[in-house]
Each structure stands twice: as structure tokens, then as C-alpha cells.
Amino acid sequence: MLLVPRNPLTGEPWCPPDDEAAVVAPLDSGVWAYLAYPGATSPMPATGVLPLGVLRDDYPLPPRPRSLLRPHYRAYDDTLVGLPAIRTPQLRRYYDARRP
């Protein structure tokens, strides 16, 4: 299962070019950037050139969660069951291993 960003302009999820069998789970680009590069993303794009010696600090820090982002196990399992790809052997083994 791949967590991929959605294009902020078109809303289309990024698709890997060589892995047709992958199950793609699209995320908002801001959420994906936070998970992929924590602390390295700016909420506003920087444009133009700043004078020498001036640091860019004109945006507030984005809110950070108090704990790690974890999917709710029941919602995750229910969503997984609804995917047509659950019939593939890899996902079916994964799903069966998670069931109590």
C-alpha cells in the first residue's frame, strides 16, 4: 500500500509509473509532506529574493499533532475490505493476518 500525495491543483493522486499492482492511498499534499519530510515544509511558498541578512519568518508554525498519526484500526480494516484489490493474494494474506 502506497501513501501518495494528491496534486493540489487538480486533486489527482500521484501514480507510480512502474508499479501497476500497487494499492494507492491518496493523501492531501500537506499531510503527505508532513509525513515524508517532518519539519522541512513551509505552509507558504517563498517567492522573490530577500535582502542579505534578512531571515524569512513571516508565517506561523503549522499545528503539530501531540502523537504520531495512526489510522483507526477498524476504519482501516473496513476500508481495506471495500477495495477491489483485497482479492489479490498479497492483500488478502495481510488482511487475514490482522483479523483476530
Side-chain angles (χ1 to χ4, degrees), residues 2 8 12 19 22 25 28 36 39 42 46 56 60 62 78-79 88 94 100:
L2 298 175
E12 292 294 317
D19 194 3
D28 179 69
S42 168
R56 186 174 179 94
D78 291 346
T79 303
T88 62
Y94 174 77

Side-chain angles (χ1 to χ4, degrees), residues 5-69:
R6 286 187 185 271
N7 185 319
L9 299 177
T10 64
E12 292 294 317
W14 174 83
C15 292
D18 57 345
D19 194 3
E20 298 295 326
V23 177
V24 176
L27 294 174
D28 179 69
S29 59
V31 174
W32 183 86
Y34 171 73
L35 292 173
Y37 306 103
T41 58
S42 168
M44 297 186 324
T47 59
V49 178
L50 294 174
L52 291 175
V54 176
L55 300 176
R56 186 174 179 94
D57 64 347
D58 58 347
Y59 57 86
L61 291 175
R64 300 286 185 204
R66 285 185 239 158
S67 62
L68 294 175
L69 177 66

Side-chain angles (χ1 to χ4, degrees), residues 65-89:
R66 285 185 239 158
S67 62
L68 294 175
L69 177 66
R70 294 185 193 153
H72 189 272
Y73 73 95
R74 289 293 301 159
Y76 181 77
D77 288 345
D78 291 346
T79 303
L80 192 61
V81 167
L83 294 174
I86 192 66
R87 294 180 185 93
T88 62

